[in-house]
Amino acid sequence: MEAAEPALSAETLRGRLLRGLEAEHVEVEDTTPSRCSTSFKVLVVSSRFRGKPLLQRHRLVNELLAEELKRIHAFEQRTLTPEQWEKERGAGTSA
Amino acid sequence: MGRRNGLEVDRSACGWRCKELQLSKAAMSGSLCWLRAASLLRGAPLRWGARPLSQAAAGDGSSPGGGEGGRGSRESVERLVRAHPVVVFMKGNPGQPLCGFSNAVVQILRLHGVQDFQAYDVLQDPDLRQGIKNYSNWPTIPQVYLNGEFVGGCDILLQMHQNGDLVEELKKLGIRSALLDAEKDQDKK
């Protein structure tokens, strides 16, 4: 069996999102219980999301990560405009 | 496959991320919220008027409507999403969801008092599971359809619940969200 392709990493995804969506803020968390990179949660803040409904925003992210998503089993995403992000931070929301 | 709370769990499929999911009315205020999937699963099974996939597919597992396409064909999926105002493709069923994300969708609908919705368990049907992803061009389960239109998965439904959009979308379907009545009661004091 040939060597497995390099594992997806949170950093790889983060880079793609930052560049692909000209995001001003990206957080990627590997949520796989064993940390073996098949389950991710991302937060993307980008002005590209302005004026776009949620579904469209999420599709942008899905398209950008189309190749990676073939290898990802579980994927959560939050997509915010810079304004929404600022508002959220200002509100001091707690988890 | 693993077992959790006595249920078979398809770990490979979704990793069973049910930890830290707790949804409450506070969610309406827009605060970040999570669902307590595990505790909800331990509760009594709920009757949601959902039919198992086998019933929806003419009861014997054969293609619905006898068309050429299998259960995962575009035509077949189209028929399913148009058959009811609220349709959910999930893992498990509303009484026993087998995935934290699918459970979240069920619980959100429950919070809004949506008792009557059509749920399909994709774990029972690999053709449907792939077919629904092809149809919506969306890589994950659960998938929510309102009035035949793909709305999104768990993340989107959760955000729609938090920002009030879900109440509006349900209104368009002639469904009055239970949360409106809950708010009214609060205002009365």
Side-chain angles (χ1 to χ4, degrees):
Chain A
M1 196 164 144
E2 52 183 299
E5 24 181 311
L8 282 172
S9 73
E11 269 317 299
T12 314
L13 291 185
R14 189 165 179 275
R16 285 186 66 70
L17 289 165
L18 275 168
R19 286 188 301 274
L21 289 170
E22 293 173 312
E24 63 177 59
H25 181 74
V26 174
E27 291 175 15
V28 178
E29 188 191 336
D30 181 343
T31 53
T32 327
S34 50
R35 288 286 181 271
C36 66
S37 301
T38 56
S39 203
F40 289 96
K41 180 171 171 179
V42 308
L43 164 67
V44 186
V45 180
S46 168
S47 53
R48 292 252 204 112
F49 294 144
R50 277 190 197 121
K52 291 192 170 63
L54 277 180
L55 185 57
Q56 225 177 318
R57 298 182 187 188
H58 285 224
R59 283 201 187 281
L60 272 179
V61 172
N62 288 352
E63 274 155 26
L64 189 60
L65 301 179
E67 279 309 305
E68 289 84 352
L69 278 168
K70 289 178 190 168
R71 293 156 61 192
I72 291 174
H73 287 135
F75 188 68
E76 293 172 82
Q77 53 169 304
R78 289 187 69 226
T79 49
L80 302 174
T81 60
E83 294 73 35
Q84 287 172 322
W85 177 235
E86 279 313 307
K87 194 175 177 197
E88 199 169 284
R89 289 204 295 184
T93 314
S94 55
Chain B
M1 296 286 277
R3 293 190 76 80
R4 191 182 182 98
N5 294 338
L7 299 172
E8 293 286 328
V9 172
D10 184 357
R11 284 188 182 279
S12 64
C14 73
W16 193 252
R17 282 214 350 106
C18 69
K19 58 165 184 154
E20 295 179 347
L21 295 179
Q22 183 166 23
L23 188 66
S24 66
K25 276 196 193 159
M28 284 295 279
S29 68
S31 59
L32 199 60
C33 65
W34 305 93
L35 266 170
R36 203 199 313 269
S39 65
L40 289 164
L41 283 177
R42 280 195 281 272
L46 304 158
R47 285 198 49 80
W48 293 100
R51 288 181 294 161
L53 185 66
S54 57
Q55 281 189 25
D60 62 356
S62 60
S63 305
E68 302 105 80
R71 285 185 301 278
S73 73
R74 208 155 178 88
E75 297 74 26
S76 182
V77 171
E78 178 100 20
R79 228 170 294 141
L80 294 182
V81 307
R82 289 190 187 288
H84 197 277
V86 183
V87 179
V88 176
F89 296 87
M90 60 182 289
K91 295 180 179 179
N93 63 64
Q96 274 187 354
L98 294 179
C99 156
F101 303 128
S102 287
N103 184 48
V105 163
V106 169
Q107 295 312 323
I108 289 170
L109 290 175
R110 176 199 190 194
L111 263 183
H112 287 264
V114 181
Q115 300 276 2
D116 183 25
F117 64 93
Q118 203 64 47
Y120 297 103
D121 181 359
V122 303
L123 294 179
Q124 291 193 39
D125 190 342
D127 285 342
L128 180 67
R129 186 174 178 174
Q130 189 52 50
I132 194 68
K133 291 177 185 176
N134 296 341
Y135 181 84
S136 57
N137 188 26
W138 188 262
T140 50
I141 302 293
Q143 296 195 6
V144 180
Y145 289 75
L146 296 180
N147 215 24
E149 200 177 309
F150 178 57
V151 153
C154 169
D155 294 336
I156 290 179
L157 202 73
L158 186 56
Q159 287 176 73
M160 285 174 69
H161 162 70
Q162 288 175 309
N163 65 23
D165 282 353
L166 185 54
V167 170
E168 288 309 308
E169 291 303 313
L170 289 173
K171 204 190 226 174
K172 290 181 195 168
L173 299 177
I175 300 172
R176 181 180 167 81
S177 168
L179 290 177
L180 288 172
D181 298 323
E183 274 187 351
K184 242 173 146 193
D185 290 339
Q186 275 194 337
D187 289 340
K188 278 193 203 142
K189 285 228 167 100

